[in-house]
């Protein structure tokens, strides 16, 4: 086996349903490969609708006892699970770099980030308060209590194979729900290792099942049509999110959707240039441009434009792209060959329409799914690199003159996940922060995410919030109880 772990027990290739490791009813498998070199890593159990149904039924059974426990008892399991993630941080990072490609320092960081959601919701789950409502009648009182929404189904992407799972599973379990997960077929090993650690933490069978499979529509179809599932939570592309919302309509399921982004980074003439370059650089090229809050469009004021591009070019020229396991690698591969083709198609179409390549601009020759870190100038809002999520290491740098124009450019998209801007002007900070139509705004900062903040988008970037005290709401129903006859 190509992956060497300190604890080989964390390399699981069977699915995890109702507390059992299983090959599925048909015994089929699908291959997981290393995007840095195409190496075959594992054959993982390939499940479908029937096993998904089995996991949902188990979740429904398991939830009955789980929801009746005290929040403190549920919290204790999540705390243990959190500790086990940190104890096994290196192995989880190795699995992640092998199947996803990101450099080891990013993988270690993601494991800590993923673990932080377990800890946060272990704590926050104890704070599910209700209300007593004074009523118009003197003989009664209204009470609002919060209850778990029911069985949850989750579908997650490959770009954050750990944290996108824990930020859904942790709040669901903390409030008393059970959850069935379909991880991305590109990165099932990280998800299965999480399940193994959940089992070691003492999570009772059925509360967290992992249905691995290559037939996403079959698994997703069952999750969205099965009446036992009360809530579907999804992180992924906007088209798939819309499809799942449509499918959920028939049984009126609640949904949380964390979908695509098209993040602007606006840099005003009055910005601290070095700070802005550093922020844009990290935001654009983290995970080789494959995050939903990655800077997609750098929008730079004319007075500072040339200096910004030159500093950005000099910084990008220092990148070392390569295998995520190599100590000097700063940037890893894209997830698939198709991803490389898609990114290059966007760059090529921009170049055909007049864009200039400052650096990069081509797939990297040789093995692995690498794309050169790229900067484009002479770009305009009609180009695909302005309108579409790039999901690769390509920075188109647009020019603007006035604050009004910058806000209009930032908002000229159907997406609304994250926006960033750099300025030293206090009035402008408020005007722009309030003027951009985004769920999250970074002012003089692009590293905005953590477990304590409400992560989520507006417009076609989705609905619902993950993390923070608001993240519990997505897994709770409000029930109104009328206590009457109080004057008798
Ligand atoms: P990406 O382009 O990042 O892979 P996707 O939206 O295609 O984004 O994938 C995110 C997750 O959605 C993955 O787990 C994938 O398997 C799943 N998925 C893709 N298509 C469907 C579908 N029709 N039904 C349910 N899940 C799907």
């Amino acid at each position: 086996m190509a992956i060497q772990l300190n604890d080989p027990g964390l390399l699981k290739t069977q699915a995890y349903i109702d507390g059992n490791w299983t090959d599925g009813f048909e015994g089929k498998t699908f291959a997981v490969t290393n995007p840095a070199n195409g190496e075959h890593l594992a054959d993982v159990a390939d499940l479908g609708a029937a096993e998904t149904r089995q996991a949902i039924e188990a979740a429904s059974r398991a939830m009955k006892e789980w929801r009746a426990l005290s929040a403190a008892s549920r919290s204790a399991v999540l705390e243990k699970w959190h500790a086990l993630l940190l104890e096994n941080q290196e192995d989880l990072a190795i699995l992640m770099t092998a199947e996803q490609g990101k450099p080891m320092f990013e993988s270690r960081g993601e494991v800590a980030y993923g673990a932080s959601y377990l800890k946060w919701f272990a704590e926050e789950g104890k704070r599910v308060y209700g209300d007593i409502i004074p009523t118009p009648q003197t003989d009664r009182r209204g009470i609002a209590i919060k209850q778990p929404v029911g069985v949850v189904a989750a579908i997650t992407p490959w770009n954050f194979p750990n944290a996108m799972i824990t930020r859904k599973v942790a709040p669901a379990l903390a409030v008393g729900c059970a959850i069935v997960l379909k991880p991305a077929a590109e990165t099932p090993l990280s998800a299965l290792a999480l399940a193994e650690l959940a089992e070691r933490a003492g999570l009772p069978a059925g509360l967290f099942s992992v249905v691995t499979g290559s037939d996403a529509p079959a698994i997703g179809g069952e999750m969205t049509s099965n009446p036992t599932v009360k809530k579907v939570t999804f992180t992924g592309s906007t088209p798939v999110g819309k499809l799942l919302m449509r499918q959920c309509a028939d049984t009126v399921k609640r949904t949380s959707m964390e979908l695509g982004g098209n993040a602007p980074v606006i840099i005003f003439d009055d910005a601290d240039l070095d700070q802005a370059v550093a922020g844009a650089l990290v935001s654009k090229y983290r995970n080789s441009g494959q995050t939903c809050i990655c800077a997609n469009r750098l929008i730079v004021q004319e007075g500072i434009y040339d200096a910004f591009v030159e500093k950005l070019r000099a910084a990008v020229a220092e990148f070392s792209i390569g295998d995520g396991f190599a100590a000097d690698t700063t940037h890893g591969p894209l997830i698939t060959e198709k991803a490389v083709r898609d990114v290059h198609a966007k760059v090529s179409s921009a170049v055909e329409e007049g864009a200039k390549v400052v650096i990069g601009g081509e797939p990297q020759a040789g093995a692995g799914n690498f794309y050169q870190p790229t900067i484009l100038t002479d770009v305009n809002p009609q180009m695909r690199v302005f309108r579409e999520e790039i999901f690769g290491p390509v920075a188109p740098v647009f020019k603007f003159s006035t604050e009004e124009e910058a806000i209009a450019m930032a908002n000229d998209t159907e997406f609304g996940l994250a926006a960033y801007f750099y300025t030293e002007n206090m009035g402008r900070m408020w005007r722009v922060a309030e003027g951009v139509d985004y769920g999250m705004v970074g002012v003089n900062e692009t590293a905005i995410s953590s477990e304590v903040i409400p992560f989520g988008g507006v417009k076609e970037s989705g609905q619902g919030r993950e993390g923070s005290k608001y993240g519990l709401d997505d897994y709770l129903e409000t029930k109104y109880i009328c206590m009457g006859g109080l004057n008798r």
Side-chain angles (χ1 to χ4, degrees):
M1 190 69 73
I3 303 176
Q4 301 291 330
L5 300 179
N6 300 310
D7 178 353
L10 291 177
L11 179 54
K12 310 299 279 192
T13 56
Q14 292 178 300
Y16 185 67
I17 293 185
D18 196 11
N20 298 308
W21 295 96
T22 171
D23 292 327
F25 296 144
E26 293 176 26
K28 290 189 296 180
T29 60
F30 63 97
V32 181
T33 54
N34 181 335
N37 52 25
E39 184 187 12
H40 176 261
L41 295 173
D43 291 308
V44 170
D46 197 352
L47 276 51
E51 295 93 338
T52 307
R53 206 170 307 131
Q54 190 190 20
I56 292 167
E57 282 157 16
S60 179
R61 270 195 312 275
M63 204 189 129
K64 289 193 178 76
E65 274 183 42
W66 181 248
R67 68 181 291 174
L69 293 177
S70 69
S73 302
R74 290 193 296 267
S75 168
V77 177
L78 291 175
E79 290 277 7
K80 183 101 189 287
W81 196 10
H82 166 257
L84 286 173
L85 254 68
L86 294 185
E87 276 170 35
N88 293 280
Q89 182 177 18
E90 194 64 13
D91 276 350
L92 295 173
I94 290 169
L95 285 171
M96 192 183 296
T97 292
E99 64 181 350
Q100 202 276 340
K102 65 179 70 176
M104 275 298 282
F105 71 89
E106 280 192 23
S107 293
R108 289 187 193 103
E110 184 187 332
V111 174
Y113 175 53
S116 75
Y117 285 98
L118 296 174
K119 173 116 187 120
W120 174 263
F121 284 110
E123 294 161 346
E124 208 58 21
K126 296 183 231 165
R127 304 185 187 111
V128 179
Y129 301 110
D131 282 308
I132 297 179
I133 304 163
T135 53
Q137 306 84 355
T138 57
D139 67 339
R140 65 190 72 169
R141 301 288 181 274
I143 300 172
I145 64 166
K146 302 283 177 93
Q147 292 186 303
V149 65
V151 171
V152 177
I155 300 177
T156 52
W158 48 261
N159 60 345
F160 288 92
N162 175 304
M164 295 304 102
I165 295 174
T166 56
R167 61 154 71 163
K168 299 180 187 310
V169 174
L173 292 176
V175 301
C177 299
I179 184 161
V180 177
L181 167 74
K182 189 204 89 63
E186 292 84 354
T187 56
L189 302 178
S190 294
L192 294 170
L194 277 174
E196 167 67 21
L197 293 175
E199 188 174 76
R200 292 185 195 176
L203 187 72
L207 291 170
F208 173 46
S209 289
V210 180
V211 184
T212 47
S214 59
D215 188 350
I219 298 170
E222 181 64 31
M223 287 175 157
T224 51
S225 64
N226 191 316
T228 301
V229 174
K230 297 294 183 263
K231 153 116 201 174
V232 170
T233 171
F234 172 72
T235 299
S237 62
T238 295
V240 174
K242 288 179 181 176
L243 174 77
L244 295 173
M245 285 176 82
R246 266 183 231 120
Q247 291 177 185
C248 283
D250 278 344
T251 44
V252 195
K253 294 192 201 316
R254 283 181 53 186
T255 58
S256 291
M257 295 282 151
E258 209 266 86
L259 309 178
N262 184 0
V265 184
I266 308 172
I267 293 146
F268 289 97
D269 283 348
D270 60 21
D272 176 323
L273 184 57
D274 289 329
Q275 195 192 21
V277 170
L281 196 77
V282 171
S283 174
K284 174 65 253 182
Y285 296 102
R286 176 185 290 123
N287 203 7
S288 295
Q290 303 172 107
T291 94
C292 49
I293 60 166
C294 264
N296 210 52
R297 298 169 293 158
L298 306 184
I299 302 178
V300 184
Q301 202 160 10
E302 53 200 4
I304 207 174
Y305 186 92
D306 291 341
F308 176 85
V309 170
E310 176 44 33
K311 277 187 183 263
L312 192 70
R313 189 204 59 74
V316 168
E318 299 293 312
F319 286 177
S320 170
I321 66 171
D323 189 318
F325 287 113
D328 61 346
T329 293
T330 58
H331 294 80
L334 301 189
I335 189 71
T336 55
E337 275 177 50
K338 179 176 180 303
V340 174
R341 283 198 302 276
D342 287 351
V343 168
H344 193 52
K346 286 171 194 154
V347 170
S348 303
S349 96
V351 169
E352 274 162 33
E353 291 166 40
K356 287 209 176 68
V357 177
V358 175
I359 190 168
E362 296 287 341
Q364 181 89 338
N369 309 321
F370 292 96
Y371 199 84
Q372 297 171 346
T374 298
I375 300 172
L376 301 175
T377 56
D378 296 80
V379 282
N380 65 56
Q382 281 71 49
M383 292 178 175
R384 288 182 65 193
V385 289
F386 185 97
R387 311 229 67 87
E388 298 174 22
E389 189 173 32
I390 299 171
F391 239 63
V394 176
V397 194
F398 302 86
K399 199 180 275 184
F400 73 93
S401 331
T402 66
E403 181 181 307
E404 223 179 8
E405 190 188 347
I407 294 173
M409 282 172 84
N411 289 341
D412 181 14
T413 170
E414 69 272 25
F415 296 107
L417 192 56
Y420 316 91
F421 64 95
Y422 284 80
T423 177
E424 297 290 291
N425 178 317
M426 185 65 122
R428 176 169 277 164
M429 287 180 193
W430 281 101
R431 286 193 302 276
V432 179
E434 291 177 355
V436 292
D437 300 330
Y438 286 81
M440 299 176 282
V441 181
V443 185
N444 293 331
E445 184 55 77
T446 56
I448 57 171
S449 187
S450 79
E451 77 281 15
V452 311
I453 62 97
F455 192 106
V458 299
K459 294 164 76 179
E460 292 188 20
S461 287
Q463 47 173 236
R465 293 293 179 267
E466 297 191 309
S468 80
K469 65 175 181 177
Y470 306 104
L472 282 180
D473 295 341
D474 284 38
Y475 298 90
L476 292 168
E477 285 287 7
T478 301
K479 179 183 279 178
Y480 158 59
I481 302 170
C482 177
M483 299 287 289
L486 300 185
N487 291 346
R488 282 204 295 276

